[in-house]
Amino acid sequence: MTDNELEVFTPSRGVTHDDTMLRLALVPRFTLDMAQRLSGRRDIQTLLAWLTEQRFCESSGVDDSIRYVWAPTVRETLRMRAQCTFLPEHLDMLETVSVALLEEHGFVDEAVRQVLDAHHWQAGIELMLRHAGFWLERGRAGDLLELLELVPRTIRLSDTRFCYLQGLALLHTKPRRAVSVFRRGLAVAANSGAQDEQAFACLSQWMTTCVLVLKMPGQLPLRAWGQVCRPPLDANARLAANTAFLYGSWFQPVRSIALARRVVELERAAQMPGPVLPRVQAAIAVLLYLASGGALGRARAFMQAIAPLVLGNELPALIRVWWMLACAFCKLVSDDSTGVESLLQRASAYLEETGSVRLTRYVALLQCGVSLVTGDGAGARVQLYAAPSGNNPVDRLWALVQVWLALREERIGDALTGAHTALRHPCSTALPMLELHVRLTYGYALLRNGDQNAARQVFAVVRENAVGRGSILLQYHLLLNEALLEHTSGHIECARELLRMAFRLARHHGLLPKPPYWAPAVSAQLCDFALQEEIDTAFVTSLVSKYNLPPPTRGCTQAWPWPIRIYSLGPFRLLYDGVATECSGKTQRRPLELLKAIVAYGGRAVDAQLLGTMLWPDAGGEAAQRSFEITLHRLRKLLKNDDAVHVSDKKVSLNTAFIWCDALEFKRLVNTGLDMLLRPQDQIDVHDLLAFSHRALNLYQGDFLQLEEASPWILMARDKLRSQWLRFVLGVGQVLSQERQVDLAIGLYQRCLESDPLAEEVYRRLMQCYQAAERYAEAIRVYQRCREMFSIVLGIAPSENTTAVYRACLGR
């Protein structure tokens, strides 16, 4: 209030202290400024000192912060005298001014009580609506409920705004009762047929609060929502009611057809002319629904259509924050998360205006999601450990993200414990979609723990309960996890089909390609399988590059999108991003020799001094070392990556995260196959063994560095690889023969001879297979081919053992 507004109450000359005391008695407590403005006296301090001395008032504080409180008996006496002294209209104006001063100086409780004492019920509800955050943010929901109890019962049952206030207060103390209050508010709004914009605009906010703050499950008024949405509601009322219905669908199943119809109606209504606030509230609900369901293309188009409405109008900070959070969530679950951090920073700035602790936690939750998607485990951990614990759906989301982080960090035991606890908590059933995502995460944790049967049962429950919900995002994550389960179980055909369906969904809807709780190694494993089976090769390749997935630690297919590939079995070739590079330049000769030597000695932990001695035999120790360092620097430049070659403790290694080499992969496959051959006969899986042999055959396109000058280190590596290869092929062939898989053994030997036409032992084994199958003519032709090849290339005849098999076949 200004001095001009109080001028009518300024006492004229001759006004007594009694008149001033009557005015002051209109407020239960006051400050010096309030006393001066209410009484109009500048010498009020003398009166206040006298009142304090006579114990009519009690004072506390110092200087300008002194507060005065009337003794209850004295104030009541003075108020009765005021009612007899002042004219009614004069008294009403004084009471209006006193309420405004109480509100202005932060005495909100006293202001509300004074209005309610005067039986101005509607004004009291308006005042409480305006200052609801005053009680709730200070943890004084009980005080707000006490004030609401002063409102007559008839007003409580007939005023939508009262239900809104009571529900907000009960959410902090008795959430189950709050749900019934919200239901009554919806019924009041529907039955009254009121066209009050504020009343219907509250509906979607009620459901939002119920979704975000509810601490225990409760039955929500779906039937009441249906009644609300019936005529004769106007467009604005129907918009608010549909928004409430959409939020409520998070809590319990709704027929997908009815829900889809409401969403389409909300999409249209939000873009039609009308009041801005309910349109934006409806847009937030639609955007969250579309994004959580995985309809991201539709969500992005809707977000772009509504953005001018949000940016071009003055909206409450809370609504702006919710819009930014919805946009950030939409981007986070899609394959294009650019701009999410910027949105969250702007939301944090607006949150300083609202002071909402709960929304601050949502911003932190989305920031944690960004960290998980980008692989920043440290950032996600900081956000998680800074979050307080609780028992509402917000905290259930935090618990789920904690499980995700544990899975990303391969802490399977912690993840199982966290997921199991989240499933047992009653809040999990408050949001069915949240429960299904928790179950899906729990099934993945079981799978990573090696319990495939339990994981299969959990996935079956998720699939059964997800039918009819229409969530593309949930369906996609379920398909991925089931594909991983079938691949782990060895059901390749089923895994192939599930993975093909999942990637088709991801490409069509622009979904985040991998679940945030999958460790990079798991994603790489499934991507490698997809590349082997030629499932959406272009999509998988872009996925590997975008998220910088590391190659599987146990090796992977040649189709993996390696930045650098080295082919040394047969002619030497060097590829960058799949494009062959010319390596015949004079300046490249030495770096390429160093690269070939590193490969020849195994590619890992190769002694630098040995390399210097082999490549610069005429140089001294220091000179050879300098030459090695210079050549290593040139090699890194040639490979266009300083991390491609590591040197540690004078040991040189190729970085297998960037480089794939056929000789190293061939050696890994052969060594694994030889280890399998050492097992007892009944423990050897013939199909796995044959798969390893064929993968190795695909790599062995000729001898090591076949066209290079035969230096000692090249000959050594060439003979070693060939010896290992022949030992492996002969061992696999022997196992196949013992298992009476003669045709498979014949096919293996024939492929081996295509790579190495001078392997006499393979010729002899192939002839013996034909002999065992009584295909003697073919065995004779194999011998003739062997004799011709040896005569032309080596100038010798086959050995006596091979000739003996030939003679035996001639005799038959």
Side-chain angles (χ1 to χ4, degrees), residues 136 143 299 564 573 577 694 755:
L136 300 179
D143 295 341
I564 303 170
R573 289 183 297 152
D577 294 326
H694 282 295
S755 301

Side-chain angles (χ1 to χ4, degrees), residues 9 11 15-30 34-36 38-41 43-44 46-52 54-57 70-71 73-83 85-86 91 94 98:
F9 304 118
V15 173
T16 64
H17 281 349
D18 286 347
D19 182 88
T20 304
M21 292 170 60
L22 294 180
R23 295 185 180 210
L24 294 179
L26 294 175
V27 292
R29 66 177 65 195
F30 52 89
M34 291 175 63
Q36 288 176 343
L38 189 59
S39 66
R41 300 178 67 102
D43 59 345
I44 195 66
T46 305
L47 176 60
L48 296 180
W50 179 79
L51 290 174
T52 305
Q54 297 298 319
R55 297 185 182 278
F56 293 159
C57 286
W70 282 105
T73 306
V74 174
R75 179 173 181 258
E76 187 61 31
T77 302
L78 291 174
R79 289 189 66 190
M80 293 177 62
R81 288 179 57 189
Q83 293 174 359
T85 302
F86 297 118
L91 183 62
L94 281 172
S98 64

Side-chain angles (χ1 to χ4, degrees), residues 449-737:
N449 196 46
D451 196 346
Q452 297 177 11
N453 292 331
R456 193 181 302 277
Q457 294 175 3
V458 173
F459 292 157
V461 171
V462 174
R463 179 168 292 283
E464 179 181 355
N465 288 275
V467 173
R469 290 193 177 274
S471 174
I472 300 170
L473 186 64
L474 179 64
Q475 182 183 357
Y476 173 61
H477 285 182
L478 179 60
L479 286 172
L480 279 181
N481 282 285
E482 287 180 328
L484 180 64
L485 170 63
E486 300 300 342
H487 179 258
T488 306
S489 304
H491 303 148
I492 303 302
E493 291 292 335
C494 188
R496 184 189 301 117
E497 186 58 31
L498 289 169
L499 199 57
R500 184 175 286 110
M501 293 167 59
F503 285 159
R504 189 183 302 124
L505 275 180
R507 281 189 293 102
H508 182 70
H509 296 281
L511 300 173
L512 180 68
K514 61 186 184 64
Y517 49 85
W518 274 23
V522 177
S523 301
Q525 174 189 344
L526 212 58
C527 286
D528 178 48
F529 170 68
L531 291 171
Q532 290 184 42
E533 300 295 329
E534 298 182 354
I535 302 172
D536 280 334
T537 304
F539 175 76
V540 176
T541 302
S542 65
L543 170 62
V544 172
S545 302
K546 180 176 181 179
Y547 293 97
N548 196 23
L549 293 179
T553 54
R554 297 183 179 180
C556 59
T557 179
Q558 184 178 341
W560 186 268
W562 305 89
I564 303 170
R565 299 190 190 193
I566 302 172
Y567 292 91
S568 57
L569 296 176
F572 180 82
R573 289 183 297 152
L574 184 63
L575 277 68
Y576 301 106
D577 294 326
V579 179
T581 302
E582 181 63 37
C583 300
S584 59
K586 186 176 181 181
T587 57
Q588 299 175 344
R589 186 174 62 85
R590 277 298 184 184
L592 288 175
E593 283 186 359
L594 176 59
L595 178 61
K596 296 170 185 176
I598 295 172
V599 173
Y601 283 103
R604 293 183 181 178
V606 183
D607 187 74
Q609 185 176 359
L610 173 63
L611 292 172
T613 303
M614 296 300 299
L615 296 178
W616 296 276
D618 299 331
E622 295 183 1
Q625 180 63 26
R626 284 197 304 272
S627 299
F628 168 76
E629 293 175 355
I630 294 172
T631 307
L632 177 62
H633 175 75
R634 292 169 58 193
L635 175 60
R636 287 170 172 164
K637 293 296 182 183
L638 177 65
L639 297 178
K640 303 176 183 179
N641 193 321
D642 291 340
D643 296 326
V645 183
H646 289 314
V647 178
S648 178
D649 296 330
K650 297 183 179 181
K651 303 291 183 181
V652 183
S653 301
L654 298 178
N655 188 344
T656 54
F658 299 99
I659 297 178
W660 178 87
C661 179
D662 60 349
L664 303 184
E665 177 66 8
F666 174 81
K667 184 177 180 180
R668 186 192 67 82
L669 289 172
V670 170
N671 287 337
T672 304
L674 290 174
D675 290 340
M676 295 172 65
L677 289 172
L678 295 177
R679 301 174 186 173
Q681 184 71 26
D682 57 346
Q683 296 181 13
I684 296 178
D685 190 323
V686 176
H687 295 289
D688 287 349
L689 199 60
L690 193 62
F692 267 96
S693 63
H694 282 295
R695 288 178 64 184
L697 275 167
N698 291 334
L699 292 174
Y700 198 84
Q701 299 298 315
D703 288 336
F704 179 71
L705 298 178
Q706 189 172 13
L707 303 181
E708 301 292 325
E709 184 180 348
S711 57
W713 54 271
I714 290 179
L715 291 175
M716 180 184 66
R718 184 181 298 169
D719 292 343
K720 184 176 180 180
L721 288 171
R722 186 173 184 273
S723 174
Q724 290 178 327
W725 163 235
L726 289 177
R727 221 162 15 103
F728 175 54
V729 169
L730 294 174
V732 174
Q734 184 176 359
V735 170
L736 292 173
S737 299

Side-chain angles (χ1 to χ4, degrees), residues 733 736-737 741-753 762 765-773 775 778 782:
L736 292 173
S737 299
Q741 301 285 341
V742 178
D743 290 338
L744 294 178
I746 290 173
L748 176 65
Y749 290 142
Q750 287 176 337
R751 288 202 59 188
C752 178
L753 290 175
V762 178
R765 292 286 185 90
L766 178 58
M767 292 169 63
Q768 291 172 343
C769 287
Y770 280 129
Q771 185 181 20
R775 296 161 61 180
E778 293 174 85
V782 169

Side-chain angles (χ1 to χ4, degrees), residues 4 41 106 139 154-155 159 317 343 394 446 477 479 547 551 562 601 604 618 696 763-764:
N4 292 333
R41 300 178 67 102
T154 55
I155 303 296
D159 196 311
L343 282 169
V394 185
L446 289 170
H477 285 182
L479 286 172
Y547 293 97
W562 305 89
Y601 283 103
R604 293 183 181 178
D618 299 331
Y763 281 111
R764 183 163 58 252

